[in-house]
Amino acid sequence: MVMRIFKKDSTKEDLKLLLRERINRYYPELNSYRVTIKGHFLKKQHTSYIYQFDIYNSKGIFKSVVVKKRIFNNVYNNNIVEDTKREYSALQHLKTIPNLNISFPKILDAIPEQGLLITEKFRGKTLFSYLNKASYFLTSNTNKIFLKKLCFNTGEWLREFHRATSIGEMRKINVHGYINKAEVLVHKLSPLGLKVSLGEGLIDKMRSLGREIIGQEFPLALKHSDMQPMNVICSNGRIVVLDIGATKVDIIIKDVCNFVVGMNTVFIKSICSFWNKVLLDQLINEFLCGYFNDGDIPSGAVEFVKSLGMLEQLDLSLIHI
């Protein structure tokens, strides 16, 4: 088989031809000459373009696949080849873990040299899309219960992911390193609009929290690295999490707080007037309850790591303006 080489401006038609060339490898029961493939561009992310392709046979849609085409972004200084290999390896590794009770994309193919990753599509909507529906922030208890359950189940997904990939070791949060990094970011962001009093108050808060948590230890497990509402799908009642780049072992609290930061970011950026802080806190608490199960939620550690995460998110947001 001749490998199709994509140019920088790789198009939907190029990808469609690639899928037709390889369809017998993905689905041996199909004859590539007796199917129709229709594709469309889904969205642009910071470091990738996302396409969806529907494969039709004589009975209708047979399967839908998602093609992620990575692109370079100088803000993130990402490595297209290595990032593609990392995500492919993570998904392959998860398949080998016994008794892993979570859902994640089925990997079909990867061409790291061209930044291509092909997975089977899950039908459903992202948590991000649900959060952006104004109807969910009205007084409907049914809608609120649904969202709370969705966040709780997301916490359960992440807990199972960390349980299955734990290496059986513990580590403390690098309190002094986090505070130093926060101080650098506050100094950097102050000329860009961050109020000095707000920045100083945040640093003081982190120092106070740091004294409380300096002795706390957390398990080490594979890190998802991008646990965000946009990467959580509700599919037929199941939680499916996308963009798993889990090749690095780290303390579990980082993934937990990455999701909390993502929820806060949705709230801050939302143009929906129905958003309210009380509901946001309730949804985050449901996620934390799902993750920590019946155990105590380490609120101080969550708030400490979240504080740095919010500064990092603000830094990225200002860069993209």
Side-chain angles (χ1 to χ4, degrees):
M1 181 181 296
V2 177
M3 178 177 286
R4 186 170 300 279
I5 303 299
F6 291 90
K7 298 179 180 179
K8 185 176 181 180
D9 58 346
S10 177
T11 64
K12 179 182 67 178
E13 293 304 315
D14 292 326
L15 296 171
K16 187 188 296 185
L17 288 171
L18 173 74
L19 291 175
R20 183 168 292 282
E21 289 174 356
R22 298 180 173 223
I23 198 168
N24 290 335
R25 181 193 303 181
Y26 307 152
Y27 304 111
E29 65 272 32
L30 281 181
N31 184 325
S32 61
Y33 297 102
R34 295 181 180 177
V35 300
T36 301
I37 302 176
K38 296 182 179 180
H40 61 276
F41 176 79
L42 280 181
K43 58 184 176 180
K44 180 182 183 296
Q45 297 180 320
H46 294 312
T47 58
S48 61
Y49 294 122
I50 308 296
Y51 297 85
Q52 176 179 326
F53 293 89
D54 298 322
I55 303 169
Y56 297 82
N57 59 13
S58 59
K59 298 180 180 179
I61 295 180
F62 177 75
K63 292 288 185 182
S64 292
V65 300
V66 173
V67 180
K68 175 187 286 186
K69 170 112 175 77
R70 281 188 162 84
I71 57 175
F72 179 73
N73 185 325
N74 59 5
V75 172
Y76 294 88
N77 194 30
N78 56 306
N79 186 313
I80 294 174
V81 173
E82 292 305 315
D83 288 350
T84 305
K85 288 180 178 178
R86 186 179 298 114
E87 187 171 357
Y88 176 77
S89 297
L91 291 172
Q92 290 287 63
H93 173 66
L94 289 178
K95 292 194 312 184
T96 68
I97 299 176
N99 302 316
L100 182 61
N101 190 29
I102 57 174
S103 298
F104 51 89
K106 177 184 177 182
I107 186 74
L108 296 175
D109 205 353
I111 309 176
E113 296 76 15
Q114 299 169 46
L116 294 175
L117 186 79
I118 303 171
T119 58
E120 198 165 277
K121 180 178 175 61
F122 274 94
R123 299 288 178 181
K125 292 184 178 180
T126 65
L127 173 57
F128 181 82
S129 67
Y130 282 119
L131 292 173
N132 278 283
K133 283 185 177 292
S135 60
Y136 281 86
F137 307 110
L138 297 171
T139 56
S140 168
N141 286 329
T142 300
N143 291 336
K144 290 181 180 180
I145 290 171
F146 171 78
L147 268 184
K148 288 178 181 180
K149 182 63 175 175
L150 189 51
C151 289
F152 183 89
N153 291 347
T154 301
E156 288 189 320
W157 188 100
L158 186 59
R159 185 184 76 230
E160 172 64 11
F161 173 76
H162 285 155
R163 179 205 64 78
T165 61
S166 172
I167 65 170
E169 297 179 14
M170 306 285 284
R171 182 183 296 168
K172 298 176 183 177
I173 297 175
N174 182 5
V175 170
H176 297 300
Y178 275 43
I179 292 175
N180 289 339
K181 190 171 183 179
E183 288 174 336
V184 170
L185 284 171
V186 167
H187 180 74
K188 176 183 178 182
L189 294 171
S190 293
L192 301 177
L194 178 67
K195 291 184 178 180
V196 174
S197 59
L198 182 62
E200 291 177 349
L202 186 60
I203 297 299
D204 288 341
K205 177 182 178 181
M206 288 186 68
R207 288 184 181 130
S208 177
L209 289 168
R211 287 190 289 270
E212 295 177 17
I213 68 170
I214 198 163
Q216 289 186 24
E217 292 186 323
F218 294 92
L220 290 171
L222 284 182
K223 183 182 177 185
H224 178 282
S225 297
D226 197 16
M227 193 70 192
Q228 298 284 329
M230 69 178 63
N231 288 330
V232 176
I233 292 179
C234 180
S235 177
N236 296 321
R238 292 181 300 165
I239 293 295
V240 183
V241 178
L242 311 177
D243 282 359
I244 303 174
T247 57
K248 179 183 178 183
V249 170
D250 212 331
I251 52 176
I252 55 94
I253 198 70
K254 290 187 180 181
D255 268 344
V256 172
C257 292
N258 197 14
F259 183 81
V260 174
V261 169
M263 291 288 286
N264 277 275
T265 302
V266 172
F267 169 71
I268 292 171
K269 292 182 177 180
S270 176
I271 60 173
C272 173
S273 59
F274 299 111
W275 248 123
N276 64 82
K277 187 68 166 60
V278 173
L279 179 57
L280 173 71
D281 290 340
Q282 290 173 349
L283 297 179
I284 290 174
N285 187 66
E286 287 294 328
F287 165 76
L288 294 174
C289 287
Y291 184 87
F292 291 103
N293 203 1
D294 294 328
D296 293 332
I297 297 173
S299 302
V302 171
E303 191 64 27
F304 178 82
V305 179
K306 184 196 85 173
S307 298
L308 176 60
M310 293 301 292
L311 281 172
E312 291 173 329
Q313 186 60 46
L314 178 59
D315 184 33
L316 286 173
S317 298
L318 290 174
I319 289 174
H320 285 292
I321 292 177

